[in-house]
Amino acid sequence: KKDLSAFFQPFSTDYRDESGSVEFVHDADGLRTDRAYVGFDLPGEADKVFEAFTSGRAQISAGRDGAVSTVSMSKVKERVIRRGSKADRPEPRSEEELMDDLHNWERHVDPEDLEALNGLGITHDILDEIFVTLRYQNKTFAAADQARKGERSHPEYARGDHYRRMVRLYVKTLLEVSVTPEEPGMLYEGMFPDGMEIDTSIFDDEKERINKLRMKTTGH
């Protein structure tokens, strides 16, 4: 298995599992034959092998002595699945596509909502730190959200949909709970007796506190 895995590694995007990707055929007595099935993780990887070896034959070194053997290869025909469906496999993505998927949370949000939040003092850099941190440090919105259907934390969602829903809900919630000195909200107004002037100095204090924190972290 180790020798076969090493031979097919150049045709595989991911590191090959020596134990799981090669299975030898055994006879009725349980003895291993000279036939084996070799699996590939991504579509097109097996095709690369036959593009390199158009005759379907290849020489593979095996064993401790490195003896070379000529082997014949053929593709296994896929069988029709009458019940259920094949596991969905993610297509390989470029580095640019991966980085865009990790950092471009804005594609999930209405630009007008971002503009409204910016007017409330919740700027792009604040949201960027929140969403990027969640994507990098919370597996629920990362690997568990990008996995195959049966392996995702929410299998009823499409790939990446859990993160998408979270971003939209987060922005929606911010808009719903955000207040201003002009409209402090019924909850804040209810803290003052009827007829008493509403003190909104807390908004200035909070603004000053946030600016000080920003100076410590960004320097401006």
Side-chain angles (χ1 to χ4, degrees):
K1 289 186 176 183
K2 181 178 180 180
D3 297 320
L4 287 175
S5 296
F7 177 79
F8 289 108
Q9 182 61 61
F11 305 98
S12 305
T13 302
D14 298 325
Y15 181 77
R16 295 189 64 86
D17 176 13
E18 294 180 3
S19 299
S21 63
V22 178
E23 186 67 32
F24 281 98
V25 178
H26 292 74
D27 61 20
D29 297 322
L31 299 176
R32 196 178 78 179
T33 67
D34 59 355
R35 299 184 63 188
Y37 288 96
V38 179
F40 294 88
D41 287 329
L42 299 177
E45 291 183 341
D47 295 329
K48 294 179 182 178
V49 176
F50 289 93
E51 289 174 3
F53 302 95
T54 54
S55 65
R57 298 171 67 85
Q59 291 186 326
I60 301 177
S61 60
R64 295 181 178 179
D65 57 355
V68 177
S69 301
T70 300
V71 299
S72 298
M73 302 177 292
S74 61
K75 291 181 66 176
V76 176
K77 294 182 179 180
E78 292 194 43
R79 295 183 178 181
V80 177
I81 300 177
R82 302 191 182 279
R83 294 184 180 181
S85 59
K86 294 177 63 177
D88 57 332
R89 294 180 175 180
E91 294 290 337
R93 291 182 289 179
S94 65
E95 181 179 350
E96 291 75 14
E97 291 174 319
L98 289 171
M99 294 305 295
D100 181 73
D101 187 65
L102 285 168
H103 293 270
N104 188 13
W105 53 266
E106 295 175 61
R107 68 185 187 278
H108 305 313
V109 185
D110 188 333
E112 293 184 1
D113 290 341
L114 291 179
E115 186 175 347
L117 288 175
N118 186 68
L120 293 168
I122 306 175
T123 57
H124 178 276
D125 59 317
I126 295 175
L127 294 173
D128 188 64
E129 182 177 357
I130 292 170
F131 294 134
V132 172
T133 299
L134 280 172
R135 185 64 191 276
Y136 273 86
Q137 298 187 7
N138 191 322
K139 292 182 179 180
T140 304
F141 302 116
D145 192 29
Q146 296 288 327
R148 298 178 182 180
K149 185 175 182 179
E151 301 171 355
R152 287 199 285 271
S153 56
H154 291 271
E156 70 275 15
Y157 292 164
R159 184 178 290 111
D161 200 36
H162 187 43
Y163 178 73
R164 184 183 305 110
R165 289 167 180 258
M166 182 277 298
V167 171
R168 291 176 177 175
L169 179 61
Y170 199 103
V171 170
K172 178 183 178 182
T173 303
L174 283 176
L175 289 170
E176 290 177 348
V177 303
S178 296
V179 294
T180 64
E182 295 75 21
E183 296 182 8
M186 295 180 62
L187 181 63
Y188 186 75
E189 291 176 351
M191 298 172 63
F192 298 87
D194 292 338
M196 183 177 179
E197 182 179 359
I198 298 176
D199 182 10
T200 59
S201 61
I202 189 174
F203 289 91
D204 296 326
D205 296 339
E206 181 65 11
K207 184 177 181 179
E208 183 178 355
R209 184 185 72 84
I210 292 175
N211 287 336
K212 287 182 178 179
L213 287 174
R214 189 171 296 175
M215 281 291 294
K216 290 181 179 180
T217 55
T218 64
H220 58 275

